[in-house]
Amino acid sequence: MHTTEQRAEIRRRFAAVDTSNVADALDALGRPDQGLAPSLAAVSGTRVAGWAYTIRGQMRPYAGTGDAAKMEACQGVGADEVTVWAGDGHGVCYFGELIALGLRERGCVGAVVDGGVRDLRWLRQHGFPVFAQYRTPVQSIGRWAVTGWQEPVYLRGATTAWVRVRPGDFVLADEDGGIVVPSDLVEEVLDAAERLTTTEVSIRAALADGLTLAECLARFGHV
């Protein structure tokens, strides 16, 4: 179990590496199916990095003017966490500006939504990073309800139908897409991704100095 300070430091380090290097590190460790579906893309900001706080829901009609379970789930979010939203929603938003502002007050650093979001203009203005499957103005109230949180959820995958995300896994998304690092591999993957990042910096410098790509690959190896 990591301390609060360790979690913050790990998040800071992950924010400095690319998903491509994290994916390569996971491949080397025999975990090739951790990438999220290409349809999951940035709608606000360009990068999300944080510890997974999972929330799931489903389409079901209900009465009333709010979703008490959603509000209760959001109250548990803490510092350096990313809310990961999953479920069988269609055409409705799971997440919007006001929830984002409430989460940010609790230290939340972004959201990954395997479904819909709205209020994009305001999310961007507030600088709250969100990756999502689609955008829609249609609210979830009366249509989609939270049914659980802080339990394993499944997001659509890049090389497999579904990627399992557990509370405490690490989620990283950038311009290339999203990837999930299992909690038991976080430090090993991070160390490897940082080494790959350092090698890439050296290769770029060598190319700028006039070496050919073939010479760089012979010197540094495949990246």
Side-chain angles (χ1 to χ4, degrees):
M1 181 71 69
H2 297 103
T3 66
T4 299
E5 291 76 16
Q6 288 171 331
R7 283 164 61 91
E9 175 63 12
I10 288 170
R11 192 186 84 80
R12 183 195 65 76
R13 291 168 59 194
F14 261 116
V17 300
D18 294 334
T19 54
S20 56
N21 286 332
V22 172
D24 289 354
L26 285 163
D27 277 348
L29 292 171
R31 298 298 295 269
D33 296 319
Q34 296 299 122
L36 300 177
S39 53
L40 189 80
V43 295
S44 174
T46 59
R47 174 173 287 259
V48 167
W51 302 89
Y53 183 99
T54 62
I55 301 173
R56 64 172 174 82
Q58 66 182 76
M59 296 295 288
R60 67 181 189 197
Y62 59 94
T65 59
D67 183 349
K70 179 186 283 189
M71 295 302 100
E72 184 178 351
C74 290
Q75 289 303 305
V77 180
D80 297 305
E81 291 183 329
V82 169
T83 51
V84 177
W85 300 74
D88 64 349
H90 305 287
V92 301
C93 81
Y94 301 0
F95 185 90
E97 178 201 12
L98 298 183
I99 291 177
L101 292 178
L103 291 174
R104 188 164 68 177
E105 290 178 353
R106 303 189 62 81
C108 179
V109 292
V112 172
V113 185
D114 195 4
V117 297
R118 69 178 189 177
D119 304 327
L120 301 191
R121 175 161 65 107
W122 301 108
L123 290 170
R124 291 165 182 164
Q125 184 169 306
H126 296 307
F128 191 87
V130 179
F131 279 64
Q133 289 286 351
Y134 60 87
R135 52 193 175 184
T136 174
V138 181
Q139 69 177 346
S140 61
I141 294 174
R143 301 182 175 98
W144 184 88
V146 167
T147 56
W149 57 94
Q150 283 299 78
E151 58 189 52
V153 298
Y154 292 84
L155 304 188
R156 279 167 277 199
T159 58
T160 188
W162 301 101
V163 176
R164 187 183 189 214
V165 185
R166 300 168 301 172
D169 287 347
F170 199 92
V171 179
L172 181 67
D174 60 16
E175 295 88 344
D176 290 336
I179 197 154
V180 178
V181 181
S183 58
D184 59 325
L185 295 177
V186 162
E187 295 185 69
E188 189 172 3
V189 168
L190 178 55
D191 288 343
E194 287 177 330
R195 288 194 297 271
L196 289 171
T197 299
T198 298
T199 300
E200 284 186 345
V201 170
S202 298
I203 290 175
R204 292 188 191 105
L207 288 169
D209 286 342
L211 267 69
T212 67
L213 181 59
E215 289 171 333
C216 287
L217 293 178
R219 176 183 295 185
F220 297 105
H222 172 72
V223 174

